[in-house]
Amino acid sequence: MSFEKEVTERLQANGENRKLVSSANEFLKESLTPLYSYNFSWLGRPIIQYPQDIVAMQELVFSVQPDLIVETGIAHGGSLIFFASMLELNAACGGVEGTVLGIDIDIRSHNRKEIEAHPMFRRIDMIEGSSIDPAIIKQVADHAEGKQKILVCLDSNHTHDHVLAELEAYAGMTGIGSYCVVFDTLIEDMPADAYPDRPWGHGDNPKTAVWKYLESHPEFEIDKNIHNKLLVTVARDGFLKRVR
Ligand SMILES: C[S@@+](CC[C@H](N)C(=O)[O-])C[C@H]1O[C@@H](n2cnc3c(N)ncnc32)[C@H](O)[C@@H]1O
C-alpha cells in the first residue's frame, strides 16, 4: 500500500477513534484559560496558533503552491512571518514565488515596526482597516488581480456575522484546489462561558458562519482529512477546500 493511502486510511480511523478525539477536545478545552496558544513565536514574532495548525498550514502552502496568501488578523505578525518564510522555503524548493497580504483593523506601531524590519518582510504587504469594509475588500481585490492561486486565512473578529461577511468577500478568490481556512471554529465546541469578555461564543462564531456559508456555496467542501489528522486544532470544519 502506498504511504499516502496508508495515511488517508489512518486519518479516517483516527477521526472515528472516540477516545483519541475526546482527549484532543479535552486538551483544547483545558488549554483555553491558560492561554496556551499565546506562548509561541515564529522566527522571533509571537504567533497566536496551536503548533498543529502551524504544521497544517505548512502542508497547505506546499500542496496548494499559492502565489498569494491573504490573511485577515495580523496581531503581532507571527503568522505573516510564518507564511512569508514558508513561501521563501517553497521557492527555494523550486515552488512558486509567492507573497502574503495581511489585513488588520489595528496594526500597532511597534508590531508594524518589527514586521517591517524582519528579513521576511520582502514577501509581506499589509493593509490597515476592517476586513469587511468595502473599501478594504476592493484594495485586497486589486492586490489579488492577476494572481493564479490564492490561499485565504480568516483569523480576525470571530463573530458569526463578521466571518460570514469575510467568507463572502474573500473565499471566492481561491482557485480550485486551494483553501479558505477559517480559524477558531472551536468556539462552537467550547463551554458557553469560555469567552466571557468577547462578542463571540456558542451559536455565534466562525463555525456557525462556515455552516451558513456552505449552505449556498457548494464549490467548497470541509476537508475532514485535515482536522482528523490534527485532532488538536482550532479549525475543525474550518479547512474549506475549493472543489469546483
Ligand atoms: C487572533 S488575532 C490574529 C492572530 C494572528 N493571525 C496570528 O496567528 O498570530 C486577531 C486580530 O484580528 C484583528 N481584527 C479584529 N477585528 C478586525 C476587523 N474587523 N478587521 C480586520 N482585523 C480585525 C485584531 O486587531 C487582531 O490583531
Side-chain angles (χ1 to χ4, degrees), residues 38 45-49 71-80 83 103-108 111 127 129-133 154-158 162 166 183-184 198 200:
Y38 289 78
R45 291 307 298 153
I47 180 168
I48 310 169
Q49 298 291 351
E71 183 183 44
T72 65
I74 296 174
H76 305 269
S79 53
L80 279 190
F83 283 128
I103 302 112
D104 201 294
I105 197 165
D106 180 15
I107 307 175
R108 305 266 166 95
N111 288 330
I127 296 175
S130 175
S131 54
I132 59 167
D133 176 338
L154 306 179
D155 191 22
S156 67
N157 176 325
H158 300 312
H162 185 86
E166 284 189 326
F183 286 97
D184 278 313
R198 300 292 202 170
W200 48 81

